[in-house]
Amino acid sequence: MLRNSCKTLITLAALNLLISGCSAAQNSTTIAPKQVGVKGQEIHPLIVEKQVSYLVSDNKTGIQWRKTNAQADASWSGRVASMDWRFVDTKKQQLLIAALDSETSDVDIIELDLTSSQFTPKLLLKATDADVEAVCLANIEQKLYLFTVDALGQANQFLIANSHDAQPRLINMRQLTVGYNVKDCAVDDSQQQLLTVEEELGIWSMDAKPEGQLERNLLPFNAIEVESISVVAPGVVSYVSQDANDIIFTSLGEEPVKVKVSAGSYNNINAFPLTQGEYSEVVLGLYNEDKDELTTKVIAISELSPLNLMPTKHLEKTVNATFVAAAQTHPVQRHGDAADDPAIWINSDNPEKSLILGTDKKFGLNVYTLAGELLQSMDVGRINNIDVRKGVLVGDTKLDIAVASNRTHQSMTIFGISPDAGEVSYLADIDTNLDDVYGICLYQHAQGLDVLINDTSGTYNQYRLNTKTADHFTADLIHSFTVDSQPEGCVVEDASGRLFYGEESTGVWLRNLETPAQAPQLIALAENTVEPDIEGMGLYYVDNQAYLVVSSQGNNSFAVYAVDNGNKLLGTFDIGINYDLNIDGVSETDGLEATSVNLGRQFPKGLLVVQDGHNVMPLSAQNFKLVSGELLHKFILENR
């Protein structure tokens, strides 16, 4: 590891070790690399065509690629403080290297073609006011990402878009607070974890997915001075304890297992990326700062048997399809878990002028165009869920009405929507007898408009609105029922009186509002590819058949049920990144709404609107993503 008088510059190779397990070690290939007799601060051993090769870097000459230890087969000039790399292609013939400049703190992205032994500069990330102290790369769900950690304790995550192309680009995904005095970073690709090192404290782990949680977990060090770590297997890292002259291999679970191997006096470590499951040894690249010496060390897999090393298993998607959003709304006013539930108001005269009503449960109600532009923002309390109906008879006039659950007043808040301009106005609050109102949905029928509103305790109340006059709304409680645990999302099919409602930890229930005495049915369980919490719900129609779309919050996906065909689960989909429009993917969705009504040129087969729990590219307050109904229509036709 390189040190200078201005700052501490550190390194890491975050590499995955794919091995067949200790039981197969006796049949594995033995690797015995020779010492590399070159100067430099960093050495990365790797395998090319079953031969050990080396990437060597330092702050004077740059990076050398050595197929053997005899001479450099290719060189890249620069001042490299630290670097990390990943294979770009599945055939492992090209590397992408992130190199941190030791003087400017710029980060160079360089491609190395192993066939032609040629370096090609690809990108340059210029330094900001805070010097970059660590760089690491990640391969998550077949996308390459760059992490930089600066002197202010902030990590930035960039997507390396179009990494195979001649001109890739960096897209800023999000900024993370990782703490001061970070000495190194690494990414465990298979576990999708970002790891950062605090020299005398320990290893912090965070979710490396761009839509991931921001919480950190700590694995404390026993050592006093630790400057770098390297991933050697899924959930297993290595680091050098300089005070004890040991190499420590440790698992990252709640009860970590540690194995010590004598290291000598070294302070920087990089693990050999075994990738073919046929090797019996781990090869490490080490640097001795005091002697300015690079060396390699071979560790037999058998010495690491307490760690129970397993083959690399990348987390695989289980969804049937991936959609992308065509637009997104302006972020809500408040940060944190704020945006919750959308509703769609359809402009009958001009469908392209239809609106999205989105709740901000820390502020009130927002109204958006179909392009996601913010039209209105109404500070009316902690609005949680909302639903819309058109042509409700109020007095002698038909009005379009939205009703929302309001946790500030434990009430039902009523809004009017002008049929021509689509302007939303506050009309009234109607008290409920619930202690903690939550989800809501509307039921429009021949007798009027009913509100189904639930409580976090599991109680559902069905109120019938009294709309005899526009300036005085009341409601009568006509029915009540319960579920065993917390509900939220619900939707009613007006024509049939079918109420679909979720019990977050359990699944989807069906109740017929026309026959309230009839027992409800549990039509879908939260199991297998559908994971709790069960949250938002919406109905979408294809060929006059109803399909229920449900957010499966636990695995960031959406389930589609053919409710007119035995409630068959057609499959699940997720919503990924729209690289062309720079719209991030969707995770931890609360509420959603769907319509199959033609909304004009952009959404001829309707629209799916979903809340996004983590709004990134770049990191911002939560918002709502708009997905073309054409994707949902096609998905249903292909899977029904």
Side-chain angles (χ1 to χ4, degrees), residues 394-397 399 414 426-428 466-473:
V394 179
D396 297 327
T397 306
L399 295 180
I414 302 177
Y426 167 82
L427 295 180
N466 182 341
T467 59
K468 292 181 180 180
T469 62
D471 58 352
H472 184 67
F473 286 86

Side-chain angles (χ1 to χ4, degrees), residues 157-349:
Q157 182 175 6
F158 300 90
L159 170 68
I160 307 177
N162 305 317
S163 57
H164 292 84
D165 295 350
Q167 295 295 326
R169 60 191 178 107
L170 288 177
I171 299 175
N172 189 354
M173 300 298 295
R174 60 174 180 162
Q175 187 177 66
L176 311 169
T177 298
V178 296
Y180 293 100
N181 199 33
V182 170
K183 298 298 181 183
D184 203 355
C185 72
V187 178
D188 183 340
D189 291 351
S190 65
Q191 303 299 299
Q192 300 179 346
Q193 290 291 305
L194 168 66
L195 310 171
T196 58
V197 174
E198 287 195 51
E199 185 173 13
E200 298 180 1
L201 183 60
I203 301 171
W204 292 98
S205 64
M206 297 182 70
D207 196 331
K209 299 187 298 294
E211 300 275 349
Q213 295 284 352
L214 302 180
E215 290 85 359
R216 295 194 300 165
N217 297 305
L218 178 66
L219 175 68
F221 286 135
N222 293 328
I224 296 175
E225 187 176 2
V226 174
E227 296 181 356
S228 74
I229 60 172
S230 185
V231 177
V232 296
V236 177
V237 299
S238 61
Y239 60 87
V240 176
S241 172
Q242 295 181 63
D243 48 312
N245 292 330
D246 287 328
I247 298 173
I248 311 296
F249 294 85
T250 182
S251 61
L252 297 174
E254 293 183 0
E255 299 180 0
V257 177
K258 295 185 178 182
V259 175
K260 294 182 181 180
V261 177
S262 177
S265 182
Y266 295 95
N267 63 309
N268 177 269
I269 186 169
N270 295 295
F272 180 63
L274 299 178
T275 57
Q276 299 182 35
E278 57 186 38
Y279 304 100
S280 61
E281 297 167 332
V282 176
V283 182
L284 305 176
L286 300 167
Y287 171 63
N288 184 315
E289 183 178 17
D290 296 331
K291 298 180 180 180
D292 191 23
E293 177 182 83
L294 290 172
T295 189
T296 56
K297 185 176 181 67
V298 179
I299 308 295
I301 294 295
S302 58
E303 293 187 56
L304 306 179
S305 58
L307 293 169
N308 191 28
L309 298 181
M310 299 298 291
T312 298
K313 292 183 179 179
H314 292 277
L315 302 180
E316 296 182 357
K317 289 185 177 182
T318 58
V319 296
N320 300 89
T322 294
F323 297 174
V324 295
Q328 62 180 334
T329 68
H330 191 277
V332 298
Q333 285 84 346
R334 301 295 179 86
H335 285 266
D337 187 18
D340 196 273
D341 190 44
I344 302 171
W345 173 77
I346 298 171
N347 188 323
S348 301
D349 295 329

Side-chain angles (χ1 to χ4, degrees), residues 566-585:
N567 306 306
K568 173 186 175 184
L569 174 62
L570 299 190
T572 60
F573 64 89
D574 61 9
I575 301 174
I577 298 171
N578 187 327
Y579 298 99
D580 294 331
L581 297 180
N582 277 5
I583 301 176
D584 64 300

Side-chain angles (χ1 to χ4, degrees), residues 67-112:
K67 292 183 179 179
T68 67
N69 66 341
Q71 61 183 11
D73 292 271
S75 299
W76 179 82
S77 297
R79 297 164 296 191
V80 179
S82 63
M83 66 178 178
D84 194 13
W85 61 269
R86 286 293 187 276
F87 283 110
V88 176
D89 61 340
T90 56
K91 295 182 179 180
K92 297 182 172 57
Q93 295 302 309
Q94 290 180 319
L95 302 179
L96 207 64
I97 302 167
L100 175 61
D101 190 292
S102 61
E103 294 189 15
T104 66
S105 279
D106 294 344
V107 179
D108 288 284
I109 306 295
I110 311 152
E111 183 182 271
L112 171 60

